[in-house]
């Protein structure tokens, strides 16, 4: 069964840092691009970042560019999101999702999604 | 303010057909495939339609998708109580060089 499972969420002060992890299983991890998507409490979904299967290509939403870094360790089947200079508006449930191609292309879709990990930015 | 516009709510009675719209522009829906996700209360989103109108295995054929120009729609026929959920459209935006979502539509089965 194809699964992804996030971890690493928690409470962090404004200006702080946090690293999220996403453990993948049931598929050849290095053959697929991956994405992070967040959902603010009671609100909609916002794509955050994507990375190609090799890790050579990364993309970011303007709202996180320069503050967040996406990476992957294909030897550990794990995706990461390093978040720094966190703001209150970064408070959200963060989901990782498997894309449908090794490269990040417009035609991809997300399947499956993990169960999410909650990040709360507050003093 | 979401890049893709969806009605915030929709409703129907069991057995009815309901349609949820998603409106965008030439830089997103007009030039890329659209996907639809269902989010049941307290759970992660789940893919129900990909590439405008394709259904993943396991998704009932009551779910269908279509696209025309810069708009798309998700139709659910033979509405059932278990269809009560939030539905999101999503695509790529060439101008933003990233993925964009609609604001979501909360479907209520009366």
């Amino acid at each position: 069964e194809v699964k992804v499972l996030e971890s690493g969420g928690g409470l962090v002060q404004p200006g702080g840092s946090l690293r999220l992890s996403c453990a993948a299983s049931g598929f050849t991890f290095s053959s697929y691009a991956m994405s992070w998507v967040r959902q603010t409490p009671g609100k909609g979904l916002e794509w955050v970042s994507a990375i190609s299967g090799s890790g050579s290509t990364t993309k970011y939403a303007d709202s996180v560019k320069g503050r967040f870094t996406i990476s992957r360790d294909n030897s550990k089947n794990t995706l990461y999101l390093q978040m720094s200079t966190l703001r209150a508006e970064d408070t959200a449930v963060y989901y990782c999702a498997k894309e449908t191609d090794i490269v990040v292309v417009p035609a991809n879709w997300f399947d499956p999604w993990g169960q999410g990990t909650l990040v709360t930015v507050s003093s | 303010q979401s890049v893709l516009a969806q009605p915030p709510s929709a409703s129907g009675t069991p057995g009815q057909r309901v349609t949820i719209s998603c409106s965008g522009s030439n830089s997103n829906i007009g030039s890329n495939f659209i996907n639809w996700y269902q989010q049941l209360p307290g759970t992660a989103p789940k893919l129900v339609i990909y590439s405008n109108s394709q259904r993943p295995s396991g998704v009932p054929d009551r779910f269908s998708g279509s696209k025309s120009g810069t708009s798309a729609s998700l139709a659910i026929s033979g509405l059932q109580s278990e269809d009560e959920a939030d539905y999101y459209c999503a695509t790529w935006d060439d101008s933003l060089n990233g993925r964009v979502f609609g604001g979501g539509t909360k479907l209520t089965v009366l």
Side-chain angles (χ1 to χ4, degrees):
Chain A
E1 183 187 3
V2 176
K3 291 178 68 174
V4 292
L5 183 65
E6 306 90 340
S7 62
L11 175 63
V12 60
Q13 292 189 336
S17 299
L18 200 63
R19 188 178 82 158
L20 306 182
S21 299
C22 171
S25 61
F27 64 100
T28 303
F29 184 63
S30 59
S31 294
Y32 294 93
M34 299 289 292
S35 268
W36 288 98
V37 179
R38 67 185 180 184
Q39 185 169 34
T40 51
K43 298 287 180 64
L45 301 168
E46 179 189 17
W47 172 78
V48 172
S49 182
I51 187 169
S52 62
S54 67
S56 61
T57 300
T58 58
K59 295 185 182 291
Y60 299 92
D62 287 344
S63 58
V64 306
K65 202 171 293 183
R67 299 188 300 122
F68 290 11
T69 301
I70 191 171
S71 63
R72 63 193 297 158
D73 186 336
N74 287 342
S75 68
K76 296 182 178 179
N77 290 349
T78 303
L79 173 73
Y80 301 102
L81 185 68
Q82 178 68 47
M83 306 184 293
S84 60
T85 319
L86 282 161
R87 307 165 179 165
E89 53 264 37
D90 296 318
T91 295
V93 174
Y94 285 74
Y95 296 101
C96 73
K98 171 182 167 289
E99 298 208 10
T100 46
D101 199 296
I102 193 170
V103 291
V104 181
V105 292
N108 288 355
W109 56 90
F110 299 140
D111 185 35
W113 300 55
Q115 92 292 341
T117 187
L118 176 62
V119 173
T120 303
V121 184
S122 175
S123 54
Chain B
Q1 194 81 358
S2 301
V3 173
L4 306 179
Q6 294 182 239
S9 63
S11 63
T13 57
Q16 269 192 329
R17 183 177 187 270
V18 170
T19 299
I20 297 171
S21 63
C22 178
S23 178
S25 66
N26 288 326
S27 66
N28 43 66
I29 296 178
S31 51
N32 293 291
F33 287 113
I34 192 143
N35 309 305
W36 290 89
Y37 301 94
Q38 174 196 62
Q39 187 174 33
L40 297 169
T43 70
K46 170 194 164 189
L47 179 74
V48 290
I49 293 289
Y50 66 94
S51 298
N52 299 338
S53 60
Q54 304 302 303
R55 267 181 298 106
S57 60
V59 174
D61 59 7
R62 302 185 293 103
F63 289 80
S64 62
S66 64
K67 187 187 105 167
S68 178
T70 59
S71 294
S73 62
L74 172 71
I76 309 171
S77 59
L79 199 61
Q80 299 182 4
S81 58
E82 55 261 39
D83 299 332
E84 189 162 285
D86 293 326
Y87 292 86
Y88 295 90
C89 58
T91 188
W92 183 271
D93 191 291
D94 294 335
S95 297
L96 297 174
N97 195 29
R99 305 201 186 279
V100 291
F101 286 90
T105 297
K106 183 176 184 60
L107 174 63
T108 301
V109 181
L110 302 169

